[in-house]
Each structure stands twice: as structure tokens, then as C-alpha cells.
Amino acid sequence: MAQKTLKQPAPSASGVDSDLAKRLLRDMMLVRRFEEKAAEAYALGKIGGFLHLSIGEEAVAAGATSVLRRDDYSISTYREHGHCLVKGSDPRRVMAELFGRRDGLSKGKGGSMHLFDKTVNFLGGHAIVGAHLPLAAGVGFAIQYRGGDQVVVCYFGDGAVPEGEFHEALNLSSLWKLPVIFLCENNRYAMGTSLERALAETEIWKFGRAYNIPCEPVDGMDVLAVRDVAARAVERARTEHTPTLIEARTYRFRGHSMRDPAGAVYRTKEEVEREKLRDPIVLFRNRALESRWLTDADVRAIEKDVNDVIDEAVAFADASPEPPVEWLLTDIYKEGAENRAREGAENRAREN
Amino acid sequence: MAQKTLKQPAPSASGVDSDLAKRLLRDMMLVRRFEEKAAEAYALGKIGGFLHLSIGEEAVAAGATSVLRRDDYSISTYREHGHCLVKGSDPRRVMAELFGRRDGLSKGKGGSMHLFDKTVNFLGGHAIVGAHLPLAAGVGFAIQYRGGDQVVVCYFGDGAVPEGEFHEALNLSSLWKLPVIFLCENNRYAMGTSLERALAETEIWKFGRAYNIPCEPVDGMDVLAVRDVAARAVERARTEHTPTLIEARTYRFRGHSMRDPAGAVYRTKEEVEREKLRDPIVLFRNRALESRWLTDADVRAIEKDVNDVIDEAVAFADASPEPPVEWLLTDIYKEGAENRAREGAENRAREN
Amino acid sequence: MKAQKTAPVRTEMAVMTYREALNLALREEMHRDDRVFVIGEEVGLYEGAYKVTQGLLKEFGPRRVIDTPIAESGFTGVGIGAAMVGLRPVVEMMTFNFALLALDQIVNSAAKLCYMSGGQYNVPIVIRGPGGPAHQLAAQHSQSMESYFYHVPGLKVVRPTTPMDAKGLLKSSIRDENPVIFIESETLYAMKGEVPDDPDFLIPLGQAVVRREGTDVTVIAYMGMMYRALEAAEELDKEGISIEVVDPRTLRPMDTETIIGSVRKTHRAVVVEAGAGFAGMGSEIASFITEQAFDELDAPVERVTGANAPMPYARNLERAKTPSKETILAAVRRVCYANGD
Amino acid sequence: MKAQKTAPVRTEMAVMTYREALNLALREEMHRDDRVFVIGEEVGLYEGAYKVTQGLLKEFGPRRVIDTPIAESGFTGVGIGAAMVGLRPVVEMMTFNFALLALDQIVNSAAKLCYMSGGQYNVPIVIRGPGGPAHQLAAQHSQSMESYFYHVPGLKVVRPTTPMDAKGLLKSSIRDENPVIFIESETLYAMKGEVPDDPDFLIPLGQAVVRREGTDVTVIAYMGMMYRALEAAEELDKEGISIEVVDPRTLRPMDTETIIGSVRKTHRAVVVEAGAGFAGMGSEIASFITEQAFDELDAPVERVTGANAPMPYARNLERAKTPSKETILAAVRRVCYANGD
Ligand SMILES: Cc1ncc(C[n+]2csc(CCOP(=O)(O)OP(=O)(O)O)c2C)c(N)n1
Ligand SMILES: Cc1ncc(C[n+]2csc(CCOP(=O)(O)OP(=O)(O)O)c2C)c(N)n1
Ligand SMILES: [Mg+2]
Ligand SMILES: [Mg+2]
């Protein structure tokens, strides 16, 4: 999915060919299908807690990730299924994590909001709004420290912009010239709070100017546009260690989480319906067909493949057992037996 | 010192007359003299802890406060002797606070970093960098809530700009149109860290643009210039509830605190000497004499008055007793006997 | 459950949920005092992430019900600043997990301004919202938060266990002159109970309550753990062990007298808390009981606590993380048979 | 002071200050491991607000000694992010008071990433700096900070009392795979003591030390309070009361065995802590002693704590706020004569 050779330059965003079109469409459809199935599983009680779907926003993850190398990093919020899947994670293990099973990426300990996958440099899954922006800067710092040429993409919502950590992370990244792409998924709402009620400046990309970094808005429903702007940002980060702030304008078709019924209080039905006309998957599929990058048969093949993969993911998750109860007390610290013995002592009261 | 009648409009910053010139010069000299004496007392061990002098920066406090009404608020950092004195606090009680005596503004419990004076609406004295900016927004919120026309001036250093709370406070103040004047005393260093090493954008006033609020830089060594820009900001805040960000460019002639010997590591002697040529008191005194706002006799009279007032303040502080030891356990909560009885119980272990 | 000792006698009772009781308290206090306002994320238009502020925007308008951006330190600071100059903010933390972002404001500003100003400025603010374990919300959204607050001089800390307490304690908190940390629970919002109609019904801060009388063992517990303790008590009744359940309600200031009084009667105590045990609330309660009633204890005070781990997501691990009725039963049996009897 | 039990036998000793010992530990570890870097306010050009990082910028250059703006949450997050991908940051808090601004990063990111990722990502970070009472710095700059950390699963918490410990524990902390909160003290930086030259000298985390042997009462204390306890012990010697002083050194994980072992011998214990007492470290120590050695205690464990107040500025009030030798003496006498003897 992500490129395997490390030194190969990122492909240009123009010059789309059939392979690229297949990949972009497949990535978006994979995320869509994954989340539709997750929603079903949630309704059946197989997934608990909060479940946040990115349906409608798939072009951002797919477009940005398509210009990354496998050894590049990405880091995200609790609405991260898509970011994790397109980075290359095994859908089966992602689904098992949502089900809270032992074969989940995090052994079932993290859940939907805390996906991590070290094998593809996916750094989580963070549920405190704004808190992962400094972490992204830290990853950029480490890349620079080692003299590497990787980059890190940091996805976050419009809701994170008013948080202090947005400001701190952008200032530090600019000051120290860290290879971080701050990619705001502006879906115009933070839960029920619209942009206008949260920010004195609603054109989020303009905040980049305050920190003297390159910044621009992009149509987040257009996967090629996202790819294009991300490619330029990645190039700058790789070669000049320059951070970038991108505002991708997108929309979530569902409610904030499964507990928020479509969000009828804070936005109108008409608005939601209007936005659904910009469905990034439909838009790109049509364009790909029109441009003859793809045939109808290609699209059907992708659809079938994606359905199969996700069905298998659900079956895998269903079959995976619950984590053994002893795992409650593992992974608190990374260390050997000595430390676990101590934890055990502290847990005395509970255990006997 | 501050005007007593509430509804009288702020005097225009142009049209300086003898009264105004006297007041401005006296305010600056009072602060200077106060701090020189405080430095002596610190050397004698009469003042403990941290002592931060604003010597060199007096024009900011004097200029800004000269356009405030007595019922307006100001709030500041740990480098706040000047802001507190010019707002109208009794120098004797300020000095007694620095000495840790019972007649201090805060009964000796706060010290130099935590001056508060409710009688003149001086809201402290805050020693966590950046933390009082949201408080200032809250005071502005309360003014608006009550439909008042007061304003609040919030002094802070260049060092607070990289903190997240700067961003949060400015965004909220702009979004909610709060009557707050954010007045940055940019003395180019946060302890030993120069502006260039702390901020991706060193023209601090420009951050105001990110929040769509009026913003401008001003020569912080020119008391009339500060007065002028503050007057405009106050007017906007009073009549339009518009916050403003002002960057006053100033310089501290002394070290960061009495424990930092003039700061020789992070800045050159030449730089300090060059800046001292811009001494705001000397500049304004000369200008006032040249412009015939003041006579030599006026200046001598102010000097004598100020010296007398500060000598008296020192004598007063010296004579004030230590707070009674029982005061350790008062003012933790505002309440009657019941609550203190409980605190007493909690302190059992210590007391017997 | 036995009637609360502090319940008023002549008031009409209504049955309502814990959530509704909180809502009622807010509405009554907002009617009573124009200085009271509600501020936080989603409190207005959305009517609260957990609907505690339902209807408030409609009833009181946007001047008094203020939606904020996600900026916990900022809007908590706004509340503190407003309180310094005489307003009475009720700041909602959507969940208390996010209060860590505002902790400096709470600890270094709210809790200390009265002291540092020598009593000139007090901060009558309530910071409220749900905290503690919730259902499968995992490590960052499901944790006991009171430990960050009850150690801090200048703060008061409330944990209301019943709908009646939710109303009576929230009203007292709003009327208090000091910063009050008021931590509710997502798992209790839907619980129903009797709540006095009386708009002047108050439960004073700093008063514990005996939820169930008994003679053999005192169990101290609050919030969800209190209900588990009651279940355990019913079961132990059958074995002939009589449990007294005491709910502190306010953790700071702590009503040590009521707790000690109970232990003087039973000579045995078990403290239950949902949070990780090391240096938790249970440590303090066990300590003061031991100090003040050492000679009357027939067994060391037992602490029943959550496992010393972050909260896992998986349902079975989550269940194992928090004390169960069984762990309470086991602890009670230990204090009964270990010694004395 | 008795020799430390864990002191290596064949190593050369140098006499140096606590500050120099920390500095040496940093230098040795930076030489040993290129992944180690130091980041914080004024750590480079200014060489540390308290000069702990003196000379580091010159020796290691700006790649490894990084001055930051005032943005605690930001640069702590940078440290955590860097640690996730394999570096070993040592983050300096100019003073630990400011760590509250980074507490969310520490509690919700650093402490939980290993668990939430099922062990995929660990966070080998040290967050260090001075904390606790300092001289007349008043409420916001003079407070015991450990209580915000030792309750948190996923963190380790160290309080080094001597120069030797400062070196040995800091080196172990840097080599640890987990987030370590390492809280020094402004009042100890100038204190001198013997420190092993050996660049491989380590003191394992989680080991308490007996600072003074005795037979009648165990006093548990760390940092400045440990020295007051030693003074009290000397005085009590004259009265024929023999004090054993135990210093936990690491608060999490706590070495309960060493402490319990001592109490089994003396049958009496006093816990001293500088911070406000309610629900402090002393509560936990008193609790586990009581639980694990109840039948061997001749008196309830006494807690000697700071007053339950913010720190006042005035010198005399400040003095009254923190436990003195006299309050320790009084507590020891109480446990000696209240009971048993
Ligand atoms: C610090 C913090 N405050 C509040 C929350 C509760 N919360 C979770 S998601 C969310 C909205 C975030 O909106 P946005 O950043 O726009 O992302 P989106 O959900 O739209 O993808 C809020 C308020 C949180 N998780 N963290
Ligand atoms: C949150 C926080 N971090 C660090 C400090 C330590 N500190 C005290 S003053 C200061 C420098 C502040 O500089 P600036 O804001 O420019 O104000 P100035 O001292 O120049 O007036 C620092 C780092 C603090 N008090 N609070
Ligand atoms: Mg959004
Ligand atoms: Mg400065």
C-alpha cells in the first residue's frame, strides 16, 4: 500500500495513472466499508465506548498518505481508523482492536480511539484534543536529531485549533524547522460547535502565517487536490525541514460519534444532504471513469476486494478471543519480571 | 492618582499639560525609587525569595495607567511593583508586603510576586507565566456580563507569548469581544532567552492579526507614545468591547531577578549600556523641560516628594510586625469558624 | 437504602434522575442569583454532552449559558477571573479527564488567590462534570480524577452519590465562597431517586452520611462503589454480618467525625475506592481512622481499590480493573475473621 | 549518617555537591548514549536556572542541549514524541511547579502510551527539576509536587536525598524504559557528599535505604525532611531513644519491604513529609505499614506533615508551615510513650 523503497521520491500529484487511481479509490473505499461495518458491530454491542466515524472525510487520509513513504510517520486523533488503515495496517487487527480482542493492534487495551501500529509507523490514536500536536513535533525533532529525511503527518480537527497546544506545537515546529505536516481536517464542527463559534479566525490555514510557515487551504473532498498539496508539503519537509499547515475542508456525514445521532441540533438536514453530494468517493470514482484511469470493471473489482477484506476483518475480530485477564497488569511498564512483581504487590488488595 | 469620577472620558494623549506631565514623571520616578530601595532591602536580607525589578520599563505602567479610571482593572506578572503602584496602591503597604509584614497588602502572605489591591482594582501579581491572561479575559467577561464600561489592562512579558494560554486568551477575547487590553512588555528576553530563540514571529504585535483584533507596536520607552496607543485601545474597549494587543518595546536595565547578576551571559554589556541611553525617565524629563511642561523646580519637587514617600514606605515596612503565626491557617478559605475548625483538625499532626 | 439523616422532613419529594437533579440545582440557583452562569464545551446549543444543562440556554439565554471552544485552561481561567470580580461561574468540564489541561489554573490560581491576596480576592467557582470509570472509554477517558484535587489546600472536593446529594451539594457548592471541584459520574446520570422540591434544600459541604446502619463493619465508599457496598451489605446480612455504609460525600473537607464515630461502634473498617489504590483516597481514610481509633480497631483497615493500571478498553479487562462486589465481600470477611471475633 | 547499604565497595569517591552529582550523571549518560538529550527552559546558554546543566551546551552542542521557549506542555510533548520513536529525552522543568502545565501530557500521554498501545510504544523520558518548599518563594513557587504523580500507573517517581543518590538514581532513570518523574530540591543543590566516580554506578529504582540504624522507632522521610529526621535522631539518642531512619528514594514503585522490615524490628513508625498532609505520601506509607504490620505495631503510625495551607511568603509563617525538628521529636515521643512501653 505505502511504498516500500525508502529513497524513491514521492510521485508527482499530477499525472495520475491507473495504478494510482486504483490505490486512491481502494483506500477510500476500504475506510468507508470498514467504518460501515464497525457501525453495524457497534449497534450489535460488539464494539463499546465511543466510536467516531470518518465517513465523508476519507479523501484526506487517502490523499495525504499516498505521498508518504512507509517509514514516514503519521499520528492522529480518536477519529483515526482511516489514517491507520491507509498507512498500511492490517484491517483484521484494526477491527479486532475495536472489538477489544487479543489480536487487536493493542491487544484490545486501546480500542477505537487508541489505534497504534509500530509496523507501519502509525503513532496513534490520541483522545485528548490537541495533545498529539506536540508529540508530532517531538517525532519531527527526533527525525532531525538523527539526520533522517522522514516526515510526520499530524491529523487533527478544527476543534484543536483553539487549544493552547496548537499554538505551542506550531511555534516550536517553525522555530526549530521540524519536518511536520500539520493537517487540519476541518469538518466545520467540533462536536456541536461550529467553526464560527470557536475561532476568531475561521480560515484556519491563515494561522500558519502567524508562525511564518507555509500554509494553505485545500478541498478535502478532492483526493487529488489533497494529494497535491500534501506532496508539496512533504517535499518541503523532507528537503528543507519546513513544517506546513494545511487546512483540508471536509465534512463528516455522520454524527460526532455513534452516540450523537447525525447531529441534527447544530446543523441542518439540508446542509448534511448538500454536503453528501460532495462525497469524495463518488467524486473521485466518477472522475476516474471519465478520465479513463479506471474502467467499470476496475471499480467493481475494487469494491469486491474491499468487501471481502472487511468481511474477513469482521470474521477475524469475531473469532479472536478476549485478552487474558492477566493482561490487565502487563504493559504498564516496559520491563522484566522485577517490575511486574512490584505492581503485583501494589495490587494485593484487589487480588486476594 | 487615577481619576476619581467614573464617567469622565479618558484625556486625549495629545495636549500634554503641566499636571499630566507631573503625574507621568512622578509615577515613573516613584516606581524607580521604590525598586531601588527594594533592591537595597533585598541586599540587607529584609526581602526574601525572588525580587524582579522593572527598572527601565516604567513608561509602560505609567503611560497605560494614565488613561485608566480608578474602577478599571489591571492585572500583571511577578514583575508588577510598578503596575500596582501607579494604579494607586499605598507604597507603604506595598513595601510592607515585600518585607513580609502584617501591614502588607496581602498581610505578608504574598510577597513581591503576589501583590493584590482590591481598593484600586489591582488583580495581582501572578507568577505562572501566561496564566493570568485567561484571568484577564474573565474579568473582561464579567464587565461585559454586567453591562459595565470598565476595561482591564493585562501586562505580560514576551516570554508568555509562546505559552498556550496566550493563544487561548486572545482567541476567546476576540471571539467574545471582551474589553481587554493585552499589553506585552517586550523587553526582548525571557530570563536568558532572547525573542529570536523563543518565537517564530518576533514582531509580537502581529499575533493580533491571527485573532482579527487591533494590534500595534509602540516604543515602550516613550511614556507619551504608550499613553497614546493605550488611550486608543481603552476607547475601543470601552465603547466597542474590542480587545487590543499592544507590544511595548522596552528593556530591563537589571537582571531577570536579584539572583541574576545583570544578565551578562545572554546579552552584552554594550547592549545594556546602549539601552540605558533610552531611559524613559530621562527621556521624558528632558522633553518635559524642553516643552516647558515642567520647570527645574517642578522636577526637583517631584524628586523630593518621591524620595520622601519611599523613605516613609521603607520606615513603615520596617516598623510593621511579622504576621501572627496563626495567620498561617487563615484565608485558605473565605468562610466562618466552622471551616477553620476543620482545617484545624487536618493540621492536628503538626500542632501537637 | 436507609433514609438520609440530613434529608429535610417536611419537603415534597419528586422522583427524578441524578442528571435531572443537577439540572434542577443549576436552574434554581440561576433563578436565585443573576451572578451564576454556566460555561463550558457544548453546554448551550448542544445542551451538554451528557445533557446536564438541558434547557438552560432556552431558559436563560446566551448571556448566562456560554458555549466555549476547546480550550480548558482558557475558559477555566475565564471563570476564575470572573469569580475574582464577583460572578459565580459554574464551569463544566465535558469530562473531568480534560481538567488536567486546566490544572494549573485550578491549583495555582483558583485555590491560592484568596491566600496569596491575604483574603482580598476569593474565587467562588464550581468546576463540575463527570469523572471516574465509564463504560469502555479506555485509559484517557476513564479514570478517577479526584486525586489531583483533594490534596490541595484552598479547594473543596465533592463527589455526590445520589440524586438528592447531586441537588443539595451542587447548590451548596454554587453558594460557597470558594472553588469547589464537583465530580459527577457518567454511570450515575440515569439513576433515579427522591429529590426534595424545596429550592432552599441544601446539603452542607463537609458532612458525611450513613447510608445504611450496621454494627459489625464500617464500609466507607462513594459514587458507584457505594452501591456495590450496599449490595455486598445485603449479601453479608444473610451471613449475619451487619454492615454500616458511610458515604463521605465531600472529600475535602472530610467529615472525619462521622466516619470515626461509626468505626468506634463497629471496630472494623473497609474503605472502597474505584481508582488505582496507591496513595489514593483510601490511604487517607485508612490513615485517619487508624490514628484516631487505633485502640478500638479489631483489625487493620482494609483498602479495596481499583487495580494499579490504566483503564483498559476490553470489556473483560475493564471489569477486572474496578472493585467488584466480590472483592468487597472478601475484604469484609478478612476484617471480620482475621482478628478479634 | 551511616554508610548506604547499596554504596559500591571498590569505587573511588569524590566529594561534590548534589548539583554537581546531577550534572555528572547527565554528562556520563550523554557520553554513553547519543540518544540522550537535554531539553528545557534555560538549560543551554544560561546553563540552567539552578546550574544543573552547567557546561553541557559547551560540551555537547546545541543538537543535544536544547533551549526552549516557555511552553511546558509543548516541549514536554516534544520529549514524549521523541521518546516514542526511540530517543531518550531528559526534560528539565525549571521548577516542578510548572509541570502542572504539562500534566496532561505526562499523565495522559507519557504514562499511558505503553499500555494503550499494548506495549508497542514505550516512553523512556526523564522529567526532572527542583520541587518542594523553597525559601520564601510563596504559594505558586514553593509546594510539594510529587502528589500529582505518584498515584499514576505508568509513571515512576524519584526523590533523591543525597548527592550519591542524585547521581545513581538519575542515571538509572535515564536508562529506564519508562517515564520517570525525578524531583530534586532547590534547598539541596549546594549540599555536599561522597559520590562514586564509577560511570557505571547506578542505584536501582524502587530500593529504599536505611540511612541510620536504630531499634526503637522507624522514621520514614526523604529530601530535606530526612535531614531533619537525622537531627531529631541525634537528639533522641541522648534520651536513650534509638531511631532508625529509612529513606524510600523512589516513591513509585515503593520499596515496601525495606520499610516493613524496619517496622517489624522497631514496632513503631513515624512518617514525615514536607507537603500538606491530607492524602499525601504519608497517608500511603502509614496505610501499608498498618496493613502489613498491624499486629506488630505498638502505636498507630504517626504522620508529621506540613500544614494544610498554601505556602505563605512571610518568613515566620513559612517556617511554621513545614515540619521542624521539634514536630518530629514530639511525634516520636508520642509513639514511644502513648502505648506499649
Ligand atoms: C482536551 C479535550 N477536550 C474535550 C474533549 C471532548 N471532545 C472529544 S472530540 C471533541 C470535538 C473535537 O472536534 P474536532 O477537533 O473538530 O474533531 P472532529 O471530531 O470534528 O473530527 C471534543 C470536544 C477531548 N477529547 N479533549
Ligand atoms: C509557566 C512558567 N514557566 C516558567 C517560569 C519561570 N520563569 C519565571 S519568569 C520567566 C521569564 C519570563 O519572561 P517574560 O515573560 O519575558 O517576562 P520578563 O521577566 O522579561 O518581564 C520564567 C521562565 C514561570 N514562572 N512560569
Ligand atoms: Mg471538527
Ligand atoms: Mg521579557
Side-chain angles (χ1 to χ4, degrees), chain B residues 57 78-79 157-159 185-191 193 252:
Chain B
E57 309 184 3
Y78 48 85
R79 196 182 301 285
D158 48 288
E185 300 186 306
N186 177 7
N187 59 15
R188 285 159 40 196
Y189 297 91
M191 289 188 70
T193 305
R252 69 170 149 70

Side-chain angles (χ1 to χ4, degrees), chain D residues 130-200:
Chain D
H135 294 310
Q136 283 199 276
L137 299 189
Q140 292 185 332
H141 275 66
S142 188
Q143 53 189 324
S144 292
M145 298 301 296
E146 59 266 46
S147 66
Y148 299 99
F149 303 101
Y150 51 57
H151 181 69
V152 181
L155 298 181
K156 300 187 178 187
V157 181
V158 177
R159 297 232 58 194
T161 302
T162 67
M164 187 187 292
D165 283 13
K167 180 179 175 189
L169 290 166
L170 181 53
K171 287 165 67 78
S172 292
S173 299
I174 293 171
R175 297 187 193 185
D176 202 281
E177 295 294 336
N178 303 287
V180 179
I181 306 299
F182 189 95
I183 312 183
E184 305 152 9
S185 169
E186 284 162 61
T187 60
L188 297 180
Y189 281 140
M191 148 159 297
K192 288 194 171 174
E194 290 199 323
V195 176
D197 276 343
D198 182 1
D200 279 319

Side-chain angles (χ1 to χ4, degrees), chain B residues 4 13 18 86 93 113 177 184 212 352:
Chain B
K4 302 259 156 56
S18 165
V86 301
R93 298 200 57 204
M113 299 200 289
K177 298 194 136 299
C184 181
N212 287 318
N352 46 20

